[in-house]
Amino acid sequence: MKWDAATYDTHHEFVSKYGENLLDLLPQNSRQNILDLGCGTGTLTKQLAQYGTVLGGDGSSQMIQQAKKNHPEIDFQVMDALALPFDNDWNIIFSNAVFHWISDHETLLAQIYQSLTPKGILICEFGAAGNIQIIEESFQQAIQEAGYDYCSKFTFPKTEIFKQQLVAQGFSIEMIDDYDRPTPLSDGKAGLAIWGRQFFEAELAELLEHEQAIIIQRFTELAKACWQQDHWVADYRRLRVVAHK
């Protein structure tokens, strides 16, 4: 997926905002080193720097470029979460709103386990089963009505499945929980259209502009259950994990 880092910063700041309370789960130890896996434009990476030595990593060069511009005092690197170049290096691997973009959770967890120090900690949150169900089903219907196929690129696991994957990899689970997190979108009536153009960018990119406009309009009509008075509320569900190596 091609990320528009500027749009992400200005219209989807809720992603990092809702991830802030994950920081409360970090140990208080200034000597620990922390990998922010899937750091985006670096908003939470900046805050993580208060908890130790931090490196921000993301698979998107656009996001890393923006992160370096936003926070030049912090180290950022482009990296593939399924091929991490580390071996027992990190006390904590932190990740917010990333794992649902990765289909191979077995390989992901194996890479994280290898990268953590003995007794290292994985702290993460991402989309749970049922996340954006109304939004995604509405987009699917809209694009199919226009004569195109839709195949979801998201992986929103059931809690029990992800728990089994953690245990199979060797993790000891301190906490694993899923919960509803209705998320207000900014930009009023345009909010869901802006969200859709960012997160369904790959599906829309192959279409002509007028086709995109028709699909987005139909998409917002079908997702009307997410409209509340004067703004859109995305039907988010999250899975939160603290697990030890």
Side-chain angles (χ1 to χ4, degrees):
M1 175 172 173
K2 181 180 178 182
W3 287 97
D4 183 336
T7 297
Y8 190 86
D9 260 356
T10 56
H11 296 287
H12 309 305
E13 68 280 358
F14 62 84
V15 175
S16 57
K17 186 67 176 176
Y18 277 102
E20 286 181 354
N21 58 12
L22 268 182
L23 300 174
D24 295 336
L25 302 176
L26 273 80
Q28 296 291 328
N29 181 358
S30 61
R31 292 177 294 176
Q32 63 197 355
N33 54 358
I34 306 166
L35 174 63
D36 185 6
L37 187 58
C39 64
T41 57
T43 301
L44 286 177
T45 322
K46 170 68 173 178
Q47 297 183 55
L48 283 166
Q50 302 172 37
Y51 295 84
T53 302
V54 65
L55 170 67
D58 200 284
S60 167
S61 59
Q62 293 94 341
M63 288 291 196
I64 290 298
Q65 183 178 5
Q66 186 68 34
K68 289 180 176 180
K69 180 179 178 181
N70 291 348
H71 310 290
E73 74 282 9
I74 295 176
D75 290 333
F76 294 97
Q77 294 179 15
V78 176
M79 65 180 66
D80 181 356
L82 297 180
L84 295 175
F86 308 115
D87 187 5
N88 298 299
D89 290 326
W90 299 97
N91 301 115
I92 296 173
I93 293 182
F94 177 97
S95 187
N96 178 56
V98 176
F99 289 4
H100 51 253
W101 293 102
I102 300 170
S103 60
D104 187 353
H105 284 169
E106 289 86 356
T107 299
L108 172 65
L109 292 176
Q111 289 290 301
I112 290 171
Y113 193 88
Q114 179 65 30
S115 299
L116 285 168
T117 60
K119 299 186 179 180
I121 307 172
L122 167 63
I123 299 173
C124 64
E125 183 174 294
F126 60 102
N131 188 59
I132 61 166
Q133 184 170 339
I134 295 172
I135 288 176
E136 191 169 22
E137 289 178 352
S138 298
F139 183 81
Q140 179 177 9
Q141 182 175 336
I143 201 167
Q144 287 178 343
E145 286 179 2
Y148 298 97
D149 293 328
Y150 174 77
C151 181
S152 179
K153 56 183 171 288
F154 302 111
T155 300
F156 302 132
K158 293 182 178 179
T159 303
E160 187 59 34
I161 296 299
F162 197 73
K163 180 179 180 180
Q164 291 171 6
Q165 292 172 334
L166 285 163
V167 171
Q169 186 55 53
F171 282 100
S172 172
I173 299 172
E174 176 182 334
M175 180 187 75
I176 184 165
D177 189 26
D178 60 81
Y179 65 99
D180 293 334
R181 198 197 69 198
T183 301
L185 304 181
S186 58
D187 303 292
K189 289 184 178 180
L192 187 60
I194 293 171
W195 189 102
R197 285 190 175 275
Q198 173 72 77
F199 292 100
F200 295 121
E201 183 274 338
E203 290 81 4
L204 296 169
E206 302 298 319
L207 309 181
L208 298 174
E209 281 293 332
H210 76 277
E211 292 178 304
Q212 294 183 24
I214 291 170
I215 290 168
I216 288 293
Q217 180 177 348
R218 180 61 175 149
F219 159 56
T220 57
E221 291 170 355
L222 291 166
K224 60 185 177 183
C226 293
W227 176 254
Q228 293 189 10
Q229 295 183 334
D230 60 356
H231 65 282
W232 293 96
V233 177
D235 55 328
Y236 276 33
R237 296 197 74 250
R238 308 317 262 180
L239 179 59
R240 176 170 289 193
V241 173
V242 179
H244 299 255
K245 181 173 178 177

